Amino acid sequence: MNIEKYLDVIDQFDSYKRYGKIHRVVGLMIESQGPEASIGDVCYIYPSPDSKQKILAEVVGFNNEKVLLMPYSQLKNIGPGCLVEATGQPLSIKVGRGLIGKVVDSLGKPLDESFLPKGLASYPSDQSPPNPLKRPPIDEPIQVGVKAIDTLLTVGRGQRVGIFAGSGVGKSTLLGMIARNSSADINVIALIGERGREVREFIEKDLGEEGLRKSIVVVATSDQPALMRIKGAYTATAISEYFRDLGYSVNLMMDSVTRVAMAQREVGLATGEPPTTKGYTPSVFAILPKLLERAGTSDTGSITAFYTVLVDGDDMNEPIADTARGILDGHFVLDRRLAEQGRFPAINVLKSVSRVMPQIISGEHQQLAVKVRSMMGVYEENHELIQIGAYKRGTSREIDEAIHHQPKIVNFLKQETNDVVSRTEALKEISELLAGGRG
């Protein structure tokens, strides 16, 4: 038994408890005189001296030697003079294989109010991204189970992809399909800022019993404080990192990054940051790369990440969408026009890109994908002429070929939510599609 290790821990242990008192509360922000604490530390607030109930809060800033705190829950029964106790530790969560199949909140507590299983380990929720030189290159594809993605937008194991769409275009349905059909070992799904009604709907309808069996769902609904919504994203990423370090292939799905950015904007404005682009504070653009860079490959396992990005008014160039697109390794654009035509999943292949695809697929697959995209591009370019009957068949061989194949391509890209198609089957299907005659 290595007793020296335990003696070192005892030597480093701080037996003092540090307290402070609430000075004032303004909106979301609690200002206290003391205790001695650092940014990111968790503190306990006691509504009354003899109260056993305590409210968790986090140190988010300092102002004239006052400590600025934000709570993890609603502010109730808090007033001037309430006691604030410093823990001296950042937020940590309990994680392990026993969490698989569970739905938890941002603090890692089961939402069904059951007890956490035994044998879980403590793990800090806020980690630094891995060293770039310790990231192995992405060199193999991962099956997603969506034909359009597996063939024309192939995703690599450890890649980070953004799913860009307006509201109601099918983001959650697409995430559910990926969770059920993917070849990854474990799914970690973060539902950030969702409507409370949609959480159970997503778990039962989109994810299903089969998907939940290999998933951990982290939920922070829109009614929860801003800090809980931010921590939901951090907690889901930390759970993914834990399993990646054990050697698993993990799918991290976050719906949505935009709501994380909005929550950080609330925190930033409350702490006195200046609003910059579209009201977003500088800290928003500082935390996004830090959060998104945590996913990816490592020496032991991989995190393949899918982040949904809400675009206001279908504007793909709004600040959060633009920032996320610059950080991620690819983007899938869900098109409202395609959804209105009943084409699901409504992925606009021509506007989407997977940046690692050329390095992870065979030459034959690459030729098939280029051919299909080329025909789709030619048809899209001449769409209006074809629709009004101004194009005469035989004028251009390329356009004739595009017209001939267009119905087949549209039919191939459609997929029912319960259809399970392997990557091999999808590639065979697209190969037969192209071999099936010429216009």
Side-chain angles (χ1 to χ4, degrees):
M1 185 175 177
N2 187 2
I3 199 162
E4 287 182 12
K5 185 173 74 173
Y6 295 98
L7 290 172
D8 286 343
V9 171
I10 292 167
D11 285 341
Q12 291 165 15
F13 179 70
D14 186 359
S15 58
Y16 284 100
K17 283 193 176 181
R18 291 170 171 79
Y19 293 97
K21 282 191 175 181
I22 288 180
H23 177 63
R24 66 173 186 159
V25 177
V26 181
L28 305 170
M29 192 63 57
I30 301 165
E31 200 173 280
S32 76
Q33 189 75 50
E36 189 182 310
S38 304
I39 292 279
D41 281 2
V42 172
C43 293
Y44 297 131
I45 300 171
Y46 295 90
S48 61
D50 55 346
S51 172
K52 289 185 180 178
Q53 182 198 5
K54 52 193 177 184
I55 295 166
L56 256 68
E58 185 175 304
V59 179
V60 293
F62 303 96
N63 181 29
N64 294 331
E65 298 187 10
K66 302 279 196 312
V67 179
L68 303 179
L69 301 152
M70 286 202 84
Y72 287 122
S73 57
Q74 302 295 337
L75 287 172
K76 285 182 182 175
N77 307 322
I78 289 181
C82 285
L83 211 60
V84 181
E85 180 191 336
T87 63
Q89 299 289 331
L91 179 70
S92 63
I93 52 165
K94 295 285 185 183
V95 61
R97 284 195 57 83
L99 273 188
I100 298 171
K102 297 272 186 190
V103 181
V104 299
D105 66 10
S106 300
L107 306 178
K109 295 174 183 172
L111 273 188
D112 59 4
E113 297 180 348
S114 62
F115 292 104
L116 280 170
K118 291 182 179 177
L120 302 182
S122 280
Y123 200 77
S125 67
D126 193 0
Q127 303 261 15
S128 295
N131 184 328
L133 294 181
K134 291 186 178 175
R135 288 182 187 267
I138 297 167
D139 56 7
E140 61 171 316
I142 186 169
Q143 179 181 296
V144 171
V146 178
K147 290 192 288 184
I149 297 173
D150 280 336
T151 54
L152 303 177
L153 298 162
T154 310
V155 174
R157 195 178 298 278
Q159 186 176 349
R160 299 158 307 141
V161 179
I163 299 172
F164 292 72
S167 53
V169 189
K171 295 186 302 299
S172 299
T173 308
L174 180 59
L175 286 184
M177 287 175 74
I178 294 170
R180 288 195 310 274
N181 304 339
S182 167
S183 60
D185 303 321
I186 292 171
N187 300 311
V188 180
I189 304 166
L191 303 177
I192 311 296
E194 285 287 327
R195 302 173 189 91
R197 171 188 66 80
E198 288 183 330
V199 172
R200 191 160 178 181
E201 199 175 281
F202 174 82
I203 292 166
E204 293 179 2
K205 184 182 162 197
D206 295 327
L207 188 59
E209 195 179 321
E210 182 191 342
L212 186 60
R213 209 175 291 127
K214 65 168 191 174
S215 301
I216 300 166
V217 184
V218 180
V219 175
T221 49
S222 57
D223 58 298
Q224 292 187 324
L227 206 59
M228 280 292 266
R229 281 175 270 146
I230 296 166
K231 288 298 165 189
Y234 281 63
T235 294
T237 309
I239 293 170
S240 304
E241 288 168 328
Y242 173 83
F243 284 105
R244 176 184 64 186
D245 293 345
L246 290 181
Y248 289 92
S249 170
V250 183
N251 267 356
L252 168 61
M253 286 170 265
M254 193 176 291
D255 186 14
S256 73
V257 165
T258 310
R259 299 229 172 90
V260 177
M262 287 174 173
Q264 182 60 37
R265 176 171 65 182
E266 284 180 48
V267 173
L269 291 171
T271 53
E273 281 189 74
T276 51
T277 319
K278 274 203 173 178
Y280 287 103
T281 57
S283 63
V284 173
F285 302 102
I287 72 150
L288 277 180
K290 192 181 171 193
L291 175 65
L292 303 181
E293 283 287 348
R294 285 169 64 182
T297 54
S298 78
D299 293 333
T300 49
S302 66
I303 300 173
T304 308
F306 299 88
Y307 300 101
T308 69
V309 182
L310 272 171
V311 285
D312 296 334
D314 296 318
D315 174 19
M316 295 295 164
N317 296 316
E318 63 99 33
I320 301 305
D322 211 32
T323 305
R325 195 164 47 232
I327 299 166
L328 298 171
D329 309 317
H331 54 273
F332 301 159
V333 176
L334 300 190
D335 196 324
R336 191 175 297 280
R337 184 172 54 85
L338 298 181
E340 286 165 354
Q341 292 170 8
R343 285 169 58 178
F344 290 100
I347 300 170
N348 187 323
V349 173
L350 295 176
K351 288 183 180 175
S352 306
V353 69
S354 169
R355 290 181 185 167
V356 304
M357 182 176 171
Q359 295 121 45
I360 58 172
I361 60 172
S362 65
E364 187 186 348
H365 181 177
Q366 179 78 2
Q367 286 175 353
L368 287 172
V370 168
K371 183 70 177 167
V372 172
R373 288 182 78 112
S374 172
M375 284 194 287
M376 290 176 76
V378 168
Y379 187 87
E380 188 70 29
E381 205 174 306
N382 298 280
H383 178 254
E384 287 182 12
L385 288 174
I386 296 163
Q387 290 299 306
I388 63 172
Y391 173 74
K392 288 183 181 178
R393 189 175 285 272
T395 308
S396 163
R397 189 174 180 278
E398 272 190 345
I399 300 175
D400 287 347
E401 193 176 35
I403 293 169
H404 175 74
H405 282 97
Q406 180 66 11
K408 297 180 189 176
I409 293 170
V410 169
N411 195 47
F412 168 78
L413 294 176
K414 284 182 184 177
Q415 188 173 342
E416 294 294 324
T417 52
N418 295 319
D419 283 358
V420 181
V421 182
S422 73
R423 188 168 166 272
T424 311
E425 288 168 347
L427 282 170
K428 186 182 175 188
E429 205 176 316
I430 202 167
S431 181
E432 287 171 357
L433 181 153
L434 291 177
R438 293 285 180 268

